[in-house]
Amino acid sequence: MTDTSGVPPVLSTPATHILEEDAHFTAMIPHSICSQEEIHVRYEIDRTAAEIKRGGWKRIALQFPDNALSDAPAVFERLSQQLAVVQKPMRNDKTTSMQIPEKIFILADTSYGACCVDEIAAEHVDADVVVHYGRACLSPTARLPVIHVFTRQPLEVDLVIESFKSTYSDHNQAIVLMADVTYASHLPHISTALKNEGYRAIFATEIVHDPSSPLPNRTVPETVQQNPATLSQWRLFHISDPPDALLLTLSSRVSSIHIFPTTAAAVTAANVTAAVALRRRYALLTSVTTVPIFGILINTLSVKNYLHIVEHVKSCISAAGKKSYTFVVGKVNAAKIANFSEIGAWVVVGCWESSLIDSRDFWKPILTPFELELALAGDDKRIWSGEWSSDFETVLRDTEGRPITQRFSQASLIEKDSLANGGDIGEADSEPESVPPEFDLRTGRYVSRSRPTQVRLNIEGGENQSSHHGQLIRRSQGDIARIGDHASPGAEFLQSSRTWKGLGSDFRIEYDNPEGISSSAPLEEGRSGTARGYLSAQSRTRT
């Protein structure tokens, strides 16, 4: 018998296997189940090629959702063939030039949600235009033009009509007919059939690129255009399950909602209400009213004006006397944001669909900019009519022209007001009872440090020490790091709550000691050698 104990194990396959095809892996690659004709119609090859030629774009990026990636090779081939056939309109000038062929790229993965246009991935290939397939939030992009192809899905129209008739027996009711973008092409036929059945007050919506509309990205009746409040008098019949953000928005604006599901064999539409979800969101925002530190999650780099809402959120948090930190993340998950335990609540800045995140799987609550403004308002000013919105353009428009400090509690501004009125500068620090107390609405406990960034000016000998703003000041051991006159809540948390503060955290410099470095952290020789057998510094034996 051959002794193989001294032979090292094989940790990789031979180099000759690199050119062999793995049959099991090949079987896992999804293939398109659509015919060439279905691909041509569903992905609107003719319209896409015509718009590309009309725009004169040469580098085209194709963005697919995960469930349609199997169709990507077929769409690539059909679109390339169609672009070679379609001729660009002739110019009136006398000069002629060689036609540069178009180059098409398939974006394999999205940086953020599939509903958003991934401009970041498209810019990696220097694309001139993005063709977005599937469901879309239709948020305006910041840089690149977009061609939206909603990939028309089949629908049992007769079954939808019968479900509508069994749901609404009164032919005079005001009903809005709405569908997901992938089924919106069926609405004209359904609306015509229902009007022939005697329904007189049906309004079939059309797709528009306006998330701030009373019906997001949809047209509204003429009466609603004149007075948006009249939308509460309309009932809504929706084809396909809407996203959670859209459902909460619609529930707060229309009289009732009936949803015809397309994912299961259903014959009737279900009456859906989001009252419980709305109450849960309100309870969530009231639970963070005493949070001192907020984290701002930037969940998009493509939506237009996202930097404006980031600055607006920062200003709101600062005006309330609280601290904020900004984070740029891709797809949000619990593991990412759990690394920052000093953050008491998060605010997501993204498209109007992806901004709503269920916080039950996360350690700390996650809010939208709309909910943040309600959370930062004082207890006497926090009035919620039940309306809910996830579009940050609406937040920017509603707050335009109003000073931020007028919408939040004035408790954080007492010290600033005393300075402006020539009062005693140190009065707020010496008499904390002059500041209204704050209590956690869930536990009823008093919260002493819910506004850590209040301006506090220290006066020694009648001289204002705020001249040190922006300078590095040597601090004694145990003091909290400060920048100018403002304490850093993150540094305070690091010092008081973190058990491990990095390499050399036990190393101290005694400034008052003439000899310099203290002996609290002596240098010791550690182990050496390789991982299969370290050498101990004391016994020099393998461990």
Side-chain angles (χ1 to χ4, degrees):
M1 180 180 294
T2 304
D3 185 11
T4 60
S5 59
V7 179
V10 178
L11 302 179
S12 63
T13 57
T16 56
H17 290 187
I18 195 172
L19 299 179
E20 297 181 3
E21 183 179 15
D22 191 345
H24 175 69
F25 176 76
T26 305
M28 296 175 59
I29 299 177
H31 297 279
S32 176
I33 61 176
C34 300
S35 63
Q36 293 295 326
E37 291 74 14
E38 291 175 337
I39 290 290
H40 199 92
V41 174
R42 177 176 298 182
Y43 290 91
E44 303 182 38
I45 301 299
D46 292 339
R47 180 179 70 86
T48 305
E51 291 196 23
I52 291 174
K53 287 293 186 179
R54 190 181 305 112
W57 300 304
K58 297 302 179 182
R59 301 177 67 87
I60 301 99
L62 308 183
Q63 179 180 342
F64 292 86
D66 292 340
N67 58 357
L69 280 176
S70 58
D71 295 334
V75 174
F76 177 92
E77 182 180 0
R78 298 286 294 190
L79 185 58
S80 300
Q81 295 173 356
Q82 188 66 23
L83 287 173
V85 173
V86 177
Q87 297 295 329
K88 185 177 180 181
M90 297 298 296
R91 298 182 178 179
N92 295 328
D93 56 359
K94 298 180 180 180
T95 60
T96 59
S97 60
M98 295 293 295
Q99 293 292 333
I100 302 176
E102 292 81 7
K103 194 169 185 179
I104 303 177
F105 304 87
I106 298 177
L107 304 183
D109 192 14
T110 57
S111 303
Y112 300 97
C115 64
C116 298
V117 177
D118 194 352
E119 287 188 327
I120 304 302
E123 289 180 346
H124 287 170
V125 296
D126 196 20
D128 300 324
V129 64
V130 179
V131 182
H132 185 279
Y133 294 102
R135 287 201 67 262
C137 59
L138 298 180
S139 299
T141 55
R143 294 173 291 274
L144 294 178
V146 183
I147 299 175
H148 284 284
V149 179
F150 300 127
T151 62
R152 174 176 176 173
Q153 300 295 322
L155 180 66
E156 294 290 342
V157 176
D158 295 336
L159 192 59
V160 174
I161 294 175
E162 292 300 326
S163 176
F164 186 94
K165 292 166 59 178
S166 62
T167 303
Y168 303 104
S169 57
D170 187 0
H171 290 195
N172 295 321
Q173 289 181 338
I175 304 172
V176 174
L177 193 60
M178 186 175 173
D180 188 80
V181 292
T182 57
Y183 299 95
S185 59
H186 300 282
L187 288 183
H189 177 64
I190 297 175
S191 176
T192 301
L194 291 175
K195 290 180 180 178
N196 293 335
E197 294 287 341
Y199 290 91
R200 303 179 181 86
I202 292 180
F203 178 81
T205 59
E206 298 179 0
I207 297 177
V208 294
H209 293 231
D210 185 13
S212 302
S213 173
L215 296 175
N217 293 322
R218 299 299 189 277
T219 56
V220 296
E222 184 177 354
T223 56
V224 178
Q225 294 179 5
Q226 300 174 358
N227 184 10
T230 59
L231 183 60
S232 60
Q233 303 173 4
W234 289 75
R235 294 170 172 81
L236 180 69
F237 185 88
H238 195 279
I239 300 174
S240 185
D241 294 325
D244 294 338
L246 179 60
L247 180 60
L248 287 180
T249 302
L250 295 176
S251 298
S252 64
R253 298 179 183 181
V254 298
S255 175
S256 63
I257 301 177
H258 283 80
I259 297 178
F260 182 86
T262 56
T263 56
V267 295
T268 58
N271 186 11
V272 178
T273 177
V276 176
L278 287 173
R279 289 197 296 267
R280 184 181 297 115
R281 299 302 300 182
Y282 185 74
L284 187 68
L285 67 91
T286 54
S287 68
V288 302
T289 55
T290 56
V291 167
I293 306 175
F294 284 87
I296 303 175
L297 287 173
I298 301 180
N299 195 30
T300 181
L301 296 176
S302 303
V303 178
K304 188 178 181 180
N305 293 333
Y306 79 94
L307 290 177
H308 293 76
I309 190 64
V310 170
E311 294 300 324
H312 174 76
V313 169
K314 288 182 179 179
S315 301
C316 293
I317 296 175
S318 177
K322 301 176 184 294
K323 179 66 177 179
S324 66
Y325 295 94
T326 305
F327 303 83
V328 179
V329 297
K331 297 178 181 178
V332 180
N333 56 53
K336 285 183 181 179
I337 64 177
N339 293 316
F340 307 97
S341 54
E342 60 269 30
I343 303 297
W346 298 89
V347 185
V348 176
V349 175
C351 76
W352 66 276
E353 284 190 10
S354 63
S355 295
L356 178 62
I357 299 177
D358 192 354
S359 303
R360 284 179 289 188
D361 296 333
F362 293 83
W363 189 29
K364 297 297 176 63
I366 303 178
L367 308 178
T368 65
F370 172 80
E371 295 170 337
L372 174 69
E373 289 200 346
L374 291 175
L376 295 180
D379 295 337
D380 56 338
K381 299 179 181 179
R382 190 180 303 112
I383 301 176
W384 191 19
S385 62
E387 184 178 358
W388 191 88
S389 176
S390 61
D391 177 47
F392 62 73
E393 291 286 353
T394 304
V395 176
L396 292 176
R397 185 178 62 248
D398 293 343
T399 58
E400 185 177 0
R402 287 191 299 161
I404 294 178
T405 55
Q406 293 183 1
R407 301 194 303 275
F408 304 121
S409 174
Q410 298 298 318
S412 63
L413 305 176
I414 290 179
E415 298 177 10
K416 294 181 181 181
D417 291 342
S418 65
L419 291 176
N421 297 329
D424 187 1
I425 301 179
E427 182 179 358
D429 285 339
S430 61
E431 298 182 7
E433 65 274 5
S434 62
V435 180
E438 294 192 46
F439 297 90
D440 191 327
L441 297 180
R442 297 171 301 167
T443 62
R445 296 179 179 178
Y446 170 70
V447 181
S448 60
R449 307 194 68 177
S450 66
R451 305 180 186 274
T453 61
Q454 293 182 359
V455 177
R456 297 182 181 276
L457 302 179
N458 299 322
I459 294 187
E460 296 179 4
E463 182 180 358
N464 192 342
Q465 300 297 324
S466 63
S467 59
H468 296 292
H469 178 73
Q471 300 179 6
L472 295 177
I473 305 174
R474 189 180 69 180
R475 61 186 179 92
S476 302
Q477 180 178 347
D479 290 348
I480 298 177
R482 303 176 67 91
I483 301 177
D485 299 311
H486 298 272
S488 174
E492 179 181 356
F493 182 90
L494 177 64
Q495 187 178 36
S496 60
S497 301
R498 294 281 190 183
T499 57
W500 188 80
K501 304 171 185 177
L503 296 175
S505 58
D506 57 346
F507 183 78
R508 297 290 184 268
I509 297 179
E510 298 180 357
Y511 293 101
D512 298 334
N513 187 357
E515 298 181 359
I517 302 176
S518 68
S519 59
S520 60
L523 297 178
E524 299 179 358
E525 182 180 357
R527 294 186 297 177
S528 62
T530 60
R532 63 182 301 178
Y534 289 110
L535 295 176
S536 174
Q538 298 178 354
S539 63
R540 309 305 297 177
T541 58
R542 292 185 181 275
T543 58

